Amino acid sequence: KEEMLQLLLRDESAVVRENALRMAEDYLVQSNQLWTEVQHRMSDGNDRVRMQAALSISTLPVDFLKAHEEELTETFAKDAGL
């Protein structure tokens, strides 16, 4: 399932990527590869995919987010052009 989600997160269709983000939410804490893919979607060329990536990240437990705070800050700063 994880491999399929990784492929879907890289699909050429923005609609597929957006829905794959929703499907991946339950697996992000356990899978470093899916977590990395979701972070990459924060820089996606499609607005809806970027928004869904942010929403999917917001579903994660606070302790997980705190453990990855530096990565997230770096991703957000890069996307903001800082």
Side-chain angles (χ1 to χ4, degrees):
K1 193 165 204 169
E2 184 179 322
E3 289 178 14
M4 177 60 76
L5 286 170
Q6 287 179 17
L7 289 172
L8 293 172
L9 287 166
R10 295 184 206 133
D11 196 271
E12 65 182 42
S13 168
V15 173
V16 171
R17 293 192 309 275
E18 181 183 352
N19 284 293
L21 284 162
R22 286 189 203 111
M23 294 187 314
E25 288 175 0
D26 292 335
Y27 305 97
L28 295 179
V29 174
Q30 302 98 308
S31 172
N32 285 331
Q33 286 126 343
L34 283 177
W35 168 240
T36 299
E37 285 296 328
V38 169
Q39 287 183 80
H40 288 305
R41 297 296 63 89
M42 290 294 296
S43 301
D44 197 275
N46 182 276
D47 293 339
R48 291 182 59 94
V49 173
R50 287 193 309 273
M51 175 61 81
Q52 185 57 53
L55 292 170
S56 294
I57 288 171
S58 76
T59 68
L60 295 168
V62 172
D63 58 329
F64 182 86
L65 294 172
K66 284 184 179 181
H68 295 277
E69 184 175 6
E70 189 173 317
E71 294 169 56
L72 286 168
T73 302
E74 204 172 284
T75 299
F76 295 142
K78 185 174 114 182
D79 291 339
L82 302 175

